[in-house]
Amino acid sequence: MALASRAAGPLAAHLGPWVRSLIDKQYVAAVVYVKSRHAAAFDRWLAALRTDLEDLSEVHLAQYQDRRRRLRRPVCVATRQQERRELVHLLRDLRELGVCSTARVATTPSDDLAADFGHHLQHQQGLASSSIERYRKVAEQFLVERFGRGAVDLSTVGAADVVGFVQRQSKRLTPPAMKCVVNGLRSFLRYAQYCGNVAPELVAAVPAVASWACTPAVPKAISAEHAQRAIDGCDATTATGLRDRAVLLLLARLGLRAREVIALRLEDCDWDRGQLLVRGKGRRECILPMPVDVGEAIASYLERGRPACKDRHLFLRSMAPVCGFLQGADGIGSIVRYALRRAKVDALHSGSHQFRHALAVRMLQGGASLPEIGEVLRHRSPQSTSIYARVDIEALRTLAVAWPGAAQ
């Protein structure tokens, strides 16, 4: 705070609140000092140039970093990189506060049309943010390949353009990734048809990706022993250990997806009824019973491990900035990987989804039917649950036909 209070340049009125926000996000004192020192030096440079704060942009950051080269003052690469990171962080926070204008990004007609398509998916179709981003990127890539940076005229797009795009993508992508490409392209062409820019026949020109529903992949489930070792390996004397144990129990006992764990909020825990509100795919909400061990683990984390924070997400990051995990990030996957490493489990797979598969396998082995498993895992289609029939080896043995001559 002392460095911020001595600032006299255009950032002087904002450095104090910015430093307090860093403290609120629970950055350690040494990190706050380094960030403040770089911000104060940048403020003095801006004052010497008499720069208007509203016009502050990445150009000023580049000019500031170039000052030592003009003065022929050597600086090591690591120091230069750190200086760049701290100033980018400062500029991003100032923009969030509305102090500086947002970054000016030059867009092309293809970018604008892809952005309009994304807004349509969000407000009219109600797709998940991850699906919207994937479909938007496919549409943008198709438009850039067809029109470049020039004007976009969808009336000139023909079936050959659609088929050619899919063929070029198939040379570098796997079949599952190609299914996403054709789904995104088909969705974009339907949007273009809705806008009256293309004929209905063009949507039918999108090729289908060959897939065989009768041969789905075998679920990659972690064994019950390894799962328990990973859970027991969490150090209950630390805040991180309490958090990781609660997360792993949610994965193992309720079969939650990683994104569902990230989306959990404090108000989703109904302690009186022993229930948990889960937000699944397609923005569907459902109420799940909270097992005793899961509830005890969450309560222990809230009482002794969760940092004081205004963020209402149930699980928070253990490092600054202390806040909820970002959707699309691999925070839950990292928790699983570190837990397996601590427990010295040499697993073939390290993702969080293996706990969900393991729950279904245990239910199947315990006599549960496939519809019951699908209800617990919140599957929309019975076909999604049918893959677990392939892991019940004992039941499949009764269906196997004896090999000719095996009885001799």
Side-chain angles (χ1 to χ4, degrees):
M1 294 297 294
L3 288 173
S5 63
R6 290 199 298 266
L11 297 177
H14 307 286
L15 287 184
W18 180 66
V19 171
R20 283 192 293 270
S21 70
L22 296 178
I23 298 174
D24 292 340
K25 294 177 182 177
Q26 302 187 31
Y27 283 93
V28 298
V31 174
V32 174
Y33 171 75
V34 171
K35 291 180 178 294
S36 302
R37 184 166 55 83
H38 284 291
F42 186 51
D43 177 67
R44 291 192 296 271
W45 181 81
L46 292 175
L49 291 184
R50 299 181 179 179
T51 303
D52 190 353
L53 194 56
E54 295 182 358
D55 299 330
L56 189 62
S57 66
E58 285 79 6
V59 175
H60 296 91
L61 267 61
Q63 294 174 351
Y64 175 72
Q65 285 209 292
D66 199 40
R67 71 194 188 285
R68 285 195 177 94
R69 185 183 62 81
R70 293 196 302 269
L71 296 174
R72 296 181 181 180
R73 294 178 181 176
V75 59
C76 67
V77 176
T79 302
R80 183 180 179 86
Q81 291 175 344
Q82 183 182 22
E83 182 182 66
R84 174 71 180 179
R85 286 194 301 269
E86 305 303 350
L87 294 180
V88 168
H89 184 188
L90 172 64
L91 181 59
R92 183 177 67 246
D93 287 353
L94 291 175
R95 283 172 172 166
E96 291 179 356
L97 295 173
V99 176
C100 303
S101 59
T102 58
R104 301 180 180 87
V105 180
T107 60
T108 65
S110 297
D111 298 331
D112 296 336
L113 182 55
D116 293 339
F117 171 55
H119 291 310
H120 171 79
L121 294 178
Q122 179 180 4
H123 299 293
Q124 302 299 327
Q125 301 296 328
L127 268 65
S129 57
S130 56
S131 300
I132 293 174
E133 185 61 20
R134 287 196 299 268
Y135 286 7
R136 188 196 63 78
K137 287 184 178 179
V138 171
E140 183 179 351
Q141 190 172 4
F142 172 73
L143 293 172
V144 169
E145 285 194 14
R146 178 62 179 79
F147 299 103
R149 301 181 61 86
V152 175
D153 185 4
L154 293 178
S155 63
T156 63
V157 176
D161 299 319
V162 174
V163 174
F165 173 77
V166 174
Q167 289 177 338
R168 287 188 295 273
Q169 295 296 313
S170 65
K171 295 179 180 179
R172 65 181 188 87
L173 298 177
T174 61
M178 278 304 303
K179 291 185 69 174
C180 178
V181 169
V182 298
N183 288 339
L185 182 59
R186 195 176 289 117
S187 178
F188 171 70
L189 293 177
R190 288 198 186 102
Y191 166 72
Q193 177 189 347
Y194 167 77
C195 295
N197 295 324
V198 301
E201 295 78 11
L202 193 60
V203 179
V206 181
V209 177
S211 60
W212 292 269
C214 58
T215 57
V218 177
K220 304 176 179 66
I222 188 173
S223 67
E225 177 189 357
H226 287 170
Q228 193 59 46
R229 282 171 55 185
I231 294 172
D232 294 339
C234 298
D235 187 358
T237 62
T238 65
T240 302
L242 291 170
R243 182 202 62 187
D244 294 354
R245 177 178 172 79
V247 168
L248 293 175
L249 282 171
L250 283 170
L251 298 174
R253 303 291 188 264
L254 296 179
L256 298 191
R257 303 176 179 92
R259 71 181 71 177
E260 294 168 345
V261 176
I262 292 175
L264 288 174
R265 303 181 67 84
L266 293 173
E267 54 268 22
D268 294 337
C269 298
D270 188 343
W271 299 105
D272 294 332
R273 295 183 177 88
Q275 296 176 341
L276 192 66
L277 174 63
V278 177
R279 298 172 180 82
K281 285 185 175 180
R283 302 180 182 179
R284 293 187 303 160
E285 296 183 352
C286 62
I287 302 294
L288 295 180
M290 190 186 304
V292 175
D293 55 350
V294 174
E296 291 177 348
I298 295 177
S300 298
Y301 170 64
L302 294 178
E303 292 174 353
R304 298 185 285 119
R306 189 179 187 274
C309 182
K310 297 179 181 179
D311 196 312
R312 298 294 295 175
H313 283 92
L314 180 59
F315 297 107
L316 303 178
R317 288 164 42 95
S318 59
M319 299 179 62
V322 175
C323 58
F325 294 99
L326 297 178
Q327 282 289 357
D330 197 30
I332 304 301
S334 298
I335 291 176
V336 172
R337 286 192 294 273
Y338 291 144
L340 294 176
R341 191 179 306 166
R342 283 195 304 267
K344 298 181 180 180
V345 173
D346 188 15
L348 295 176
H349 311 285
S350 58
S352 61
H353 221 64
Q354 60 183 323
F355 286 86
R356 181 177 173 86
H357 292 318
L359 174 62
V361 171
R362 288 197 302 273
M363 291 181 62
L364 190 64
Q365 293 173 347
S369 64
L370 290 179
E372 291 172 339
I373 296 173
E375 184 176 355
V376 171
L377 298 184
R378 307 175 306 285
H379 285 158
R380 294 193 199 183
S381 170
Q383 185 177 349
S384 301
T385 316
S386 64
I387 62 173
Y388 296 106
R390 301 187 64 199
V391 302
D392 193 355
I393 304 300
E394 297 303 322
L396 291 175
R397 291 186 196 278
T398 63
L399 303 177
V401 179
W403 187 262
Q408 297 178 0

